[in-house]
Amino acid sequence: MTAIACLKVFVGDELRFADNDTMATLVGKVAGAYLETTWLWPRRYGLVAPFSFVLADPRATQLDARELQALARDLQFKLFGDKGVGDIALLMFEGDQTDVMRFAGIHGAQLKALLNGEDDGSLVGRVCRITPTEVSSVVPPGGPVCGAPPMEELAPVEQASVPARVGYRGVYHTAREVFIGSVAVWRQDGVSDVFGLTPSRADADRQEDDIPTLLGAKTALAKLEAGLMFLPISFSAMVKPSARADLLPHLEALPRALRGRLAAAVYDTPRAPSFSALSQVKRFLDPFFGRLDLRVSDPAFQIDDLPADLASSVTLVLPQASEKVRLAAVTRFMREGPAYRRKHVWQGLADVRTRRELNHCIDQEAPFLTGAAVTDLLEVPVGSASLPSLHLPMHDWSTFPDSAPISSVA
């Protein structure tokens, strides 16, 4: 029971696009900011093409077009002020996932044929038109515009307990706007799982989950065709002989042929680790991983003291704190960019949760990002897909086969 729809934004009564990059970016930011604060979990949304969003709600069988009228008013005011009522129009197409994704990419004559009932029948669904002053059904003409259940009656989502398992967050390269791989994340037992969605939360690494994560990632590693795979390993485990002995057989089971594409994400790395501890970590992990990513919680990590050629990257896991504190941590960490470049060490940011945080990271020219604002917690690794940053986060529907051409038009 999941309702899924595509919401297209138009300008003017003739349903025309303001077909330029500046307007597309502005609409994406304004509508994205609105949806982020109103279209809350367990719902999901994503920008999948210029002026086109996909919306989903696992509690409903049909979305309520009336609820989106506030978005039309907000867009109208933000883009054109309090005059020119009617300049903004939204079209909501609701159908199965295949048709919804195809609708996101259609333009011009095909769209007009659908609205006029003159199409070839290849798209099956209902279409509602939403303006700041009116909500109406276009296909079928005069049909209902309310949801099922109506928005006033939406019940809280049922918490479906699922077994613990491995999920994956994409690791995104901001300059090239591509995913370079995925980081394995342990999903705790009993986490709600509706339509493959989970609420935004910290992807907390725990030492007791390291071995289950290595075991759970076996299937994905066997099918890994592109991109890197980051596997979490506790720093403290690396300096304890007994913990190293427990990990060793599981590391030895990693595919040797993939060593160059495997990265150890060594979390809970101290702010100023000793040379001997770092050397021990490097010696132990080097036979199994082609890259070493030190995951730190302090933005003032002592990069100048890091031995040459020890780590490929240092990733700051954002603190469990207010947004203001988290944004300040990003700024503090990225301030050390010149020192990282001198060391030939990449900087990354993990647990990026919101669009505001994502935009700040991009503004600070952070090279690599991961977290809920970058991808859902996915069932399979993302590989090396290309996706404009405005379209983040990547959802499961972003990798749906029929949606591939849509991303290319952005």
Side-chain angles (χ1 to χ4, degrees), residues 17 29 35 65 67 82 95 100 206 233 259 269 330 378 407:
F17 288 109
K29 287 184 176 180
L35 292 169
E67 190 173 3
D82 55 4
V100 164
R206 303 184 306 168
I233 304 289
R259 178 185 175 277
T269 300
V330 172
L378 304 172
S407 295

Side-chain angles (χ1 to χ4, degrees), residues 148-172:
M151 59 182 178
E152 302 90 349
E153 300 175 13
L154 278 177
V157 68
E158 295 181 5
Q159 299 294 308
S161 181
V162 295
R165 65 193 188 279
V166 176
Y168 302 92
R169 297 276 192 203
V171 180
Y172 188 73

Side-chain angles (χ1 to χ4, degrees), residues 4-10 15 17 48-54 90-108 110-115 119 122-129 138-139 402-403 406:
I4 182 169
C6 175
L7 186 70
K8 278 183 170 290
V9 181
F10 297 89
L15 295 180
F17 288 109
V48 293
F51 304 99
S52 298
F53 291 83
V54 168
L90 312 179
L91 282 185
M92 185 185 79
F93 175 90
E94 191 169 34
D96 67 24
Q97 182 170 337
T98 302
D99 285 342
V100 164
M101 297 307 297
R102 291 177 57 207
F103 180 80
I106 70 171
H107 295 278
Q110 187 179 1
L111 177 63
K112 290 183 179 180
L114 173 66
L115 299 179
D119 64 306
S122 60
L123 289 176
V124 179
R126 71 162 182 155
V127 181
C128 291
R129 179 185 174 116
V138 181
V139 180
D402 284 343
S403 72
I406 296 172

Side-chain angles (χ1 to χ4, degrees), residues 42-328:
R43 292 165 159 180
R44 275 293 190 266
Y45 71 92
L47 181 66
V48 293
F51 304 99
S52 298
F53 291 83
V54 168
L55 309 177
D57 192 333
R59 301 167 300 175
T61 57
Q62 186 169 286
L63 297 184
D64 202 319
R66 299 171 302 161
E67 190 173 3
L68 295 166
Q69 191 172 25
L71 172 58
R73 296 191 187 107
D74 194 50
L75 280 168
Q76 172 68 38
F77 180 77
K78 293 286 179 62
L79 299 180
F80 303 107
D82 55 4
K83 296 183 178 180
V85 174
D87 284 340
I88 285 293
L90 312 179
L91 282 185
M92 185 185 79
F93 175 90
E94 191 169 34
D96 67 24
Q97 182 170 337
T98 302
D99 285 342
V100 164
M101 297 307 297
R102 291 177 57 207
F103 180 80
I106 70 171
H107 295 278
Q110 187 179 1
L111 177 63
K112 290 183 179 180
L114 173 66
L115 299 179
N116 294 333
E118 301 168 355
D119 64 306
D120 59 6
S122 60
L123 289 176
V124 179
R126 71 162 182 155
V127 181
C128 291
R129 179 185 174 116
I130 305 158
T131 73
T133 59
E134 183 183 13
V135 180
S136 60
S137 176
V138 181
V139 180
V145 296
C146 61
M151 59 182 178
E152 302 90 349
E153 300 175 13
L154 278 177
V157 68
E158 295 181 5
Q159 299 294 308
S161 181
V162 295
R165 65 193 188 279
V166 176
Y168 302 92
R169 297 276 192 203
V171 180
Y172 188 73
H173 189 283
T174 58
R176 294 166 50 208
E177 295 194 318
V178 299
F179 288 94
I180 57 124
S182 303
V183 57
V185 177
W186 186 250
R187 305 181 71 165
Q188 300 298 326
D189 185 24
V191 171
S192 174
D193 187 54
V194 182
F195 193 51
L197 308 177
T198 52
S200 292
R201 63 175 183 86
D203 296 330
D205 291 310
R206 303 184 306 168
Q207 185 174 334
E208 57 266 36
D209 295 332
D210 289 357
I211 290 176
T213 301
L214 291 170
L215 291 170
K218 278 185 176 180
T219 301
L221 289 174
K223 301 177 181 178
L224 193 65
E225 297 180 353
L228 304 175
M229 176 69 79
F230 292 78
L231 296 170
I233 304 289
S234 167
F235 182 92
S236 60
M238 296 297 92
V239 296
K240 297 176 182 176
S242 60
R244 290 200 304 270
D246 290 340
L247 274 170
L248 185 59
H250 301 285
L251 296 178
E252 290 175 336
L254 293 173
R256 290 301 178 94
L258 290 179
R259 178 185 175 277
R261 291 165 56 196
L262 297 182
V266 182
Y267 61 89
D268 290 341
T269 300
R271 177 175 182 266
S274 68
F275 175 79
S276 61
L278 286 172
S279 299
Q280 191 172 57
V281 169
K282 177 72 170 177
R283 283 195 305 271
F284 181 69
L285 295 177
D286 197 58
F288 314 109
F289 297 94
R291 291 171 172 80
L292 190 63
D293 175 42
L294 300 180
R295 302 213 151 198
V296 302
S297 57
D298 191 330
F301 175 76
Q302 299 298 289
I303 181 61
D304 287 328
D305 297 333
L306 186 69
D309 300 322
L310 188 137
S312 302
S313 55
V314 173
T315 296
L316 174 67
V317 181
L318 297 185
Q320 307 303 302
S322 67
E323 185 179 74
K324 181 179 179 180
V325 172
R326 290 163 63 85
L327 295 178

